Amino acid sequence: LILTMGNSSSTTTQAVYDIEPDETETTNVPEKPDPERFLKLHKAITNEIDALKKFISSRDVEDINRAINKSPIDCATLISVLCNRSNFQIDGIKTLYYEKHGKSLSALAHEKFGKYIGDLFGYSFEPYEVRNAKLLNKAFSSHDADVTILMDVACLHSNNEVASIKACYEKTYEASFEEKLENGSSGDVEKILRLLYSGAKDESNAVDNQLAAEQAVELYEKGVGKTFGTDEEAFINILCKSSKAQVRAIQEAYNGKYEKNLAKAIKSEFSRKSKKCLQALLFTSRNEYIVHAIDRAFSGLGTDEERIAYILAGLSDSEKIAVKSLYEEKFGESLEGRLQDELHGPFQKAAIAFMSSSNKPTQGEELLNASKTTNPEELTEEQLQLSIQDLKKELLVELDFIALSDAMAVYRACEGRGTKDEELIGIICSRSKSHLYRINGYYEQLFDKTLVQQIQEEMEGYYLQLMIYLIMPCDEVDAMVFREACNSSSKDNMLVIEALAPLDSKRLNSMQSRFEEKYGKSVKEWVQRNLSGLNLKIALALLGSRVQGQRVDEEKAKDQAKRLKAPASGVIGTENTFIEIMFHSNKAQIECIKKHFNSMFGKSLLEMLREDPDDKSRLALASLISAPAEIYASALKRALNGEGTDDAAVARILGSNDKAGLIEIIKKYNEVYGESLSDALANNLIGNFKFAAVTHLASADPTMPEELRVITGGLSTREEEERFPTKPIEKPEDVPSLIVNLRSSSIVMTAEKMEENVAIDPSAEMSDVSEASGHSSDDPDSDDDWQMTPELKTLFNKKRVASAKGNRFKTRLLSRKIKKMIAEQENA
């Protein structure tokens, strides 16, 4: 079962109401059973899987379109995407590509991809009728029909499929199949083809062993055993009309009775084309025919790439696996190895990747679940739970695939001269913290550095601060923010409140655990050591237990409302009264107090507390009875409303809240202040910091649809951890094989290459800078496109020192800064 990580539906609950049980009130109310709970979960997970597939397809479509429009065409990207998707996924990509770009992907493949690689992809995109109609047209394009193509089409399809192919051919090319066959073939070959294309072949699985023995004798007597000539009609009628199972029985009877087997007998009795046709009919399974057809395409003076292309294109996902296994069994070598030896160029890489398909987003889970598809409403509860577990496997595999792709996208955005900020922001600011956690796991395993370490090399200022907060888990951000609030020289009340008040009990407990782990002291110890006065009172109250229950005392509420007038009006020294009342009342009692306060004084408690925006003590008290979204919205308004924008506050608030929490903050900000939060950020921030902040606000996380978040909002922590483990992600066992087929056109890495990228030789980096720029780093008088400025000279000197000390991290950091500064000069 599944649940989002971090700020989920809990953001709608007021912090002051998130309270622990009190001995005086029982709260152990049994949860009402929901008989449709598992059905809802099944539907929600299914919908999320569909959403993830669409997201992957959408990204694939844009990658493919960029690759096609490059000059020359980017075959590496096309291969890594198109060869690593299931047939289900390819169908989605084709449809989406046409919707977005108004062009047929199959037509573009034939037109732009190159001859054989275009055939492989183009044919694989088309329905079997269209693909084979094109092959028939190709077979009839010369005076003598291409018998190999005609036999392949006939032998690889059922009678009904052959009829559909013929109909598609005649409709598409406005030609008569019978006339074309008559004009392009003759003799025994024509007879064989007419029978195969007329639906005369028996397709049952029944075997008549007695008849098979009689037919074996007849074939011998009409062939090898005949004194003069051969009775071709007997061979044609028996082999063209008998089922595959019957043909197998005939061969067994013939080969067991006579010295020369049936295949050799046909070879000795028939001419070249007739022999080829009849021998093709001896293969008694589709996969057996395919492996021999591929092997025949490798034989002779040259490889028949065209035949390999259209045969591979017609394979289903399951057939690819079976064909590879059967080929190795029959010929003693791997099919991938043979393709490597016989083909060359992009077609070679495409054919090998097409048959390998090791990096499909669902790793076969989609195909497995598709085979079990049934109406979930017809399942028992036990069957429904098992089905949910199967769907969960597919879901997690897809999430991992997206995370791995995102990790590679981050790497590409950071490599080379200058950071591709738009691409980097597009990944980090458009993902939930839980998904960034996954990305970080892969990134650290692949490149030996965390995402935070990577972006620290790429950016600076509040832009960097926001991105770091976004990447960090909520508990780690919360711990850091709280420590900074306590250490603030101004001892700003609001910093302490903003750090603690919005946290529900679960998030508060996580923060305290992380704080103690990170800083070696408990939160309470830190509070007592660093805070005093009202800050200390508020912090201790927020960290303490709060009353739970629904019992209401009306008279007591009226008295409490009167007592709150003084602290609400800003009377110094009455803050303790407010804290005592609010933290010793349950949710229902607080609502009753607020109701009586409003009727007594003509304005709400919150309105009175917020009358003076400069009175931070009253604002702090107001936050104690506000929902988290209200606290954050109010803080953002203050950060964006002064003489100068408080960039640190903006980065802190946006970075500490996940996508689900942001939705509530945006709603509350727009509702209370009558303006768009996105517009407010856009008007007050600048540069990449603005772009990152607005992107984080505006973009939904494609890996976590709203429907699933809502439905799973009440699941337990244990169930949540089943989806998002609290331990660091372990290195995936198949990372090297996954990386070989990644969609990157510029990075197709092996495990060894990754190590090279991590362990960079500092002196080599210095050399790279010089070579890349064509300018000696030690020659200020060089006449190249950049000049050795004082800033650059300082960076080079620092880098030499770092290199001499063996500090590789600092060396890489300085090297990137140097490259960036040189690039800026050259661009200018």
Side-chain angles (χ1 to χ4, degrees):
L1 303 183
I2 311 168
L3 183 62
T4 57
M5 182 179 181
N7 233 10
S8 62
S9 56
S10 60
T11 55
T12 59
T13 307
Q14 293 185 4
V16 75
Y17 296 155
D18 204 324
I19 39 191
E20 297 177 359
D22 179 33
E23 292 180 359
T24 60
E25 297 189 39
T26 178
T27 57
N28 295 324
V29 179
E31 183 182 351
K32 293 182 181 179
D34 182 1
E36 295 188 354
R37 179 174 184 239
F38 290 109
L39 195 60
K40 290 176 183 176
L41 274 176
H42 191 283
K43 180 183 176 183
I45 299 170
T46 302
N47 289 344
E48 180 176 11
I49 288 171
D50 291 341
L52 293 182
K53 288 177 187 173
K54 288 176 183 176
F55 172 71
I56 293 170
S57 295
S58 180
R59 175 185 264 182
D60 288 343
V61 163
E62 295 314 310
D63 286 348
I64 291 166
N65 194 54
R66 280 194 296 270
I68 291 173
N69 290 314
K70 280 187 179 180
S71 182
I73 194 167
D74 183 357
C75 287
T77 295
L78 293 174
I79 291 169
S80 62
V81 174
L82 296 174
C83 292
N84 290 290
R85 302 295 180 269
S86 69
N87 289 344
F88 290 128
Q89 292 149 7
I90 290 293
D91 288 340
I93 291 171
K94 289 188 303 182
T95 302
L96 191 58
Y97 191 93
Y98 189 82
E99 289 175 0
K100 286 192 171 186
H101 302 289
K103 295 178 182 178
S104 163
L105 202 50
S106 60
L108 283 172
H110 286 297
E111 177 187 343
K112 290 191 170 186
F113 287 17
K115 185 167 175 52
Y116 301 122
I117 189 173
D119 286 344
L120 175 64
F121 288 131
Y123 286 140
S124 70
F125 296 155
E126 293 163 346
Y128 79 91
E129 305 100 315
V130 176
R131 176 175 65 247
N132 287 281
K134 285 184 176 180
L135 291 174
L136 291 184
N137 187 56
K138 190 182 288 286
F140 292 136
S141 60
S142 59
H143 178 70
D144 290 329
D146 189 327
V147 176
T148 300
I149 293 178
L150 292 172
M151 286 300 296
D152 285 344
V153 172
C155 292
L156 291 174
H157 297 91
S158 67
N159 290 335
N160 287 337
E161 288 171 339
V162 167
S164 297
I165 293 166
K166 284 169 58 181
C168 183
Y169 168 78
E170 292 181 338
K171 180 179 180 180
T172 304
Y173 299 100
E174 298 180 349
S176 166
F177 175 84
E178 302 299 332
E179 289 179 8
K180 288 288 186 179
L181 187 60
E182 183 178 353
N183 295 334
S185 61
S186 60
D188 293 337
V189 171
E190 182 180 358
K191 292 175 184 176
I192 293 169
L193 291 171
R194 284 197 181 281
L195 280 173
L196 292 177
Y197 279 88
S198 66
K201 193 166 196 67
D202 180 7
E203 292 184 331
S204 70
N205 293 319
V207 176
D208 187 332
N209 289 317
Q210 183 177 348
L211 177 61
E214 294 170 359
Q215 288 172 319
V217 171
E218 182 181 357
L219 291 176
Y220 177 80
E221 291 176 349
K222 300 292 178 69
V224 175
K226 199 170 187 292
T227 306
F228 297 104
T230 302
D231 186 349
E232 293 88 352
E233 291 288 341
F235 279 82
I236 292 171
N237 284 322
I238 290 174
L239 295 180
C240 288
K241 293 180 180 180
S242 299
S243 68
K244 292 182 183 297
Q246 187 68 17
V247 168
R248 184 185 298 110
I250 294 169
Q251 287 190 82
E252 290 172 355
Y254 191 101
N255 298 345
K257 190 174 181 68
Y258 304 109
E259 183 178 350
K260 184 184 288 187
N261 66 34
L262 185 54
K264 290 181 179 178
I266 291 172
K267 183 177 180 180
S268 66
E269 297 295 316
F270 287 84
S271 62
R272 187 175 64 88
K273 287 188 177 180
S274 303
K275 171 188 69 179
K276 185 190 295 185
C277 293
L278 291 173
Q279 285 180 328
L281 297 173
L282 298 181
F283 297 116
T284 55
S285 74
R286 173 180 160 87
N287 288 345
E288 189 178 1
Y289 184 96
I290 288 169
V291 297
H292 281 85
I294 292 172
D295 191 64
R296 288 291 299 170
F298 293 144
S299 305
L301 297 177
T303 302
D304 188 348
E305 289 96 341
E306 182 179 37
R307 192 180 190 192
I308 290 172
Y310 70 70
I311 286 179
L312 296 187
L315 298 179
S316 68
D317 293 325
S318 57
E319 283 177 333
K320 290 176 186 178
I321 299 169
V323 164
K324 286 193 297 180
S325 175
L326 185 59
Y327 188 93
E328 188 164 0
E329 179 187 325
K330 291 283 184 184
F331 303 106
E333 59 181 318
S334 72
L335 180 55
E336 285 97 336
R338 197 67 191 277
L339 291 169
Q340 178 79 34
D341 294 339
E342 297 290 338
L343 306 179
H344 61 277
F347 180 49
Q348 175 204 64
K349 294 180 175 63
I352 293 171
F354 191 81
M355 291 303 292
S356 298
S357 301
S358 61
N359 191 30
K360 285 186 171 63
T362 60
Q363 296 290 301
E365 294 293 338
E366 176 187 42
L367 194 63
L368 185 64
N369 287 332
S371 66
K372 302 176 183 176
T373 298
T374 185
N375 184 357
E377 295 182 0
E378 297 175 359
L379 300 176
T380 64
E381 185 172 306
E382 183 179 355
Q383 291 171 329
L384 203 55
Q385 291 185 55
L386 290 173
S387 181
I388 286 172
Q389 292 303 315
D390 291 337
L391 289 172
K392 175 186 166 187
K393 290 177 185 176
E394 181 180 344
L395 174 68
L396 295 180
V397 169
E398 288 182 352
L399 287 169
D400 279 337
F401 178 84
I402 294 172
L404 180 57
S405 300
D406 286 343
M408 293 303 299
V410 169
Y411 179 84
R412 292 197 299 271
C414 297
E415 279 306 288
R417 287 191 182 185
T419 304
K420 301 178 184 68
D421 290 288
E422 186 173 348
E423 295 178 21
L424 201 55
I425 290 170
I427 296 293
I428 293 177
C429 298
S430 299
R431 304 290 185 268
S432 65
K433 286 184 177 291
S434 57
H435 189 70
L436 286 168
Y437 183 77
R438 289 176 179 276
I439 298 172
N440 185 68
Y442 277 113
Y443 203 89
E444 191 169 5
Q445 295 298 339
L446 295 175
F447 306 115
D448 200 29
K449 64 173 76 172
T450 65
L451 279 179
V452 169
Q453 289 171 332
Q454 179 67 73
I455 66 169
Q456 283 175 331
E457 301 175 14
E458 307 297 326
M459 55 192 73
E460 56 191 7
Y462 294 114
Y463 172 35
L464 170 62
Q465 190 173 343
L466 172 61
M467 298 291 264
I468 289 176
Y469 282 149
L470 289 175
I471 292 168
M472 292 168 64
C474 283
D475 57 356
E476 195 166 338
V477 179
D478 293 338
M480 183 184 295
V481 167
F482 175 71
R483 184 173 182 269
E484 289 173 358
C486 290
N487 289 341
S488 172
S489 58
S490 65
K491 294 295 186 287
D492 185 348
N493 292 345
M494 294 312 300
L495 290 180
V496 178
I497 298 303
E498 288 167 17
L500 292 177
L503 308 185
D504 60 29
S505 59
K506 176 184 169 184
R507 191 168 162 183
L508 185 63
N509 290 336
S510 297
M511 184 275 281
Q512 292 187 81
S513 299
R514 180 56 65 94
F515 188 94
E516 187 167 354
E517 175 188 326
K518 195 173 180 71
Y519 303 113
K521 288 183 180 294
S522 73
V523 171
K524 284 190 177 180
E525 286 176 326
W526 193 271
V527 161
Q528 291 167 341
R529 174 183 169 184
N530 290 275
L531 300 181
S532 60
L534 183 60
N535 277 353
L536 177 61
K537 294 172 185 176
I538 292 173
L540 290 175
L542 287 168
L543 292 170
S545 300
R546 307 172 199 176
V547 179
Q548 190 170 346
Q550 295 297 319
R551 190 171 53 190
V552 173
D553 186 331
E554 289 280 349
E555 292 305 316
K556 186 178 180 180
K558 290 178 183 178
D559 178 63
Q560 289 171 321
K562 290 177 184 177
R563 293 169 61 198
L564 288 175
K565 176 66 165 57
S569 302
V571 178
I572 297 174
T574 60
E575 295 90 350
N576 282 348
T577 301
F578 188 96
I579 294 172
E580 180 186 348
I581 290 173
M582 287 303 168
F583 282 87
H584 289 83
S585 301
N586 62 41
K587 175 180 177 180
Q589 184 72 12
I590 289 174
E591 289 301 320
C592 189
I593 294 169
K594 288 162 70 176
K595 178 188 72 175
H596 287 300
F597 189 97
N598 195 16
S599 64
M600 287 178 182
F601 305 110
K603 62 173 63 176
S604 72
L605 182 56
L606 278 174
E607 285 176 332
M608 189 172 290
L609 286 166
R610 291 172 178 167
E611 279 178 338
D612 183 359
D614 295 324
D615 189 339
K616 292 191 175 180
S617 294
R618 289 164 74 189
L619 292 177
L621 296 178
S623 296
L624 296 180
I625 58 169
S626 301
E630 287 183 283
I631 298 172
Y632 287 128
S634 176
L636 284 170
K637 183 64 176 176
R638 290 196 304 277
L640 300 170
N641 211 33
E643 294 180 1
T645 302
D646 187 349
D647 293 319
V650 173
R652 181 177 65 247
I653 295 166
L654 296 185
S656 62
N657 281 281
D658 210 350
K659 293 292 183 182
L662 276 181
I663 294 172
E664 302 300 326
I665 295 170
I666 293 168
K667 286 179 183 176
K668 184 56 66 175
Y669 190 96
N670 297 350
E671 172 191 321
V672 173
Y673 303 109
E675 63 174 332
S676 162
L677 179 55
S678 295
D679 290 344
L681 292 172
N683 293 333
N684 287 277
L685 307 182
I686 59 173
N688 286 326
F689 181 38
K690 174 173 76 173
F691 183 30
V694 173
T695 301
H696 180 49
L697 228 65
S699 60
D701 176 23
T703 67
M704 193 59 208
E706 177 72 10
E707 179 185 12
L708 187 64
R709 183 183 70 81
V710 172
I711 290 176
T712 58
L715 299 186
S716 67
T717 304
R718 183 186 61 79
E719 291 168 326
E720 172 185 348
E721 289 173 353
E722 289 183 16
R723 177 173 178 183
F724 298 117
T726 53
K727 295 180 181 178
I729 297 172
E730 296 179 0
K731 180 176 180 178
E733 294 179 0
D734 57 347
V735 159
S737 66
L738 290 176
I739 298 307
V740 171
N741 294 314
L742 277 171
R743 65 182 50 143
S744 167
S745 58
S746 58
I747 306 169
V748 181
M749 303 179 65
T750 61
E752 292 77 16
K753 182 65 176 174
M754 292 172 211
E755 292 173 5
E756 291 173 14
N757 283 340
V758 172
I760 301 173
D761 179 39
S763 61
E765 279 203 356
M766 182 70 76
S767 173
D768 289 342
V769 173
S770 301
E771 289 175 10
S773 61
H775 191 296
S776 171
S777 59
D778 296 312
D779 183 8
D781 301 318
S782 177
D783 294 326
D784 287 310
D785 294 333
W786 61 278
Q787 295 180 349
M788 180 66 78
T789 63
E791 293 83 0
L792 268 175
K793 196 166 186 177
T794 300
L795 289 175
F796 273 118
N797 289 334
K798 286 183 178 179
K799 184 179 174 189
R800 288 193 189 95
V801 173
S803 176
K805 291 181 178 179
N807 189 336
R808 289 183 172 181
F809 177 76
K810 192 169 183 179
T811 302
R812 290 198 297 270
L813 175 61
L814 291 166
S815 180
R816 290 183 183 281
K817 287 185 176 181
I818 290 168
K819 288 180 181 180
K820 186 175 182 180
M821 196 172 288
I822 291 172
E824 287 172 354
Q825 283 193 35
E826 291 179 339
N827 290 338

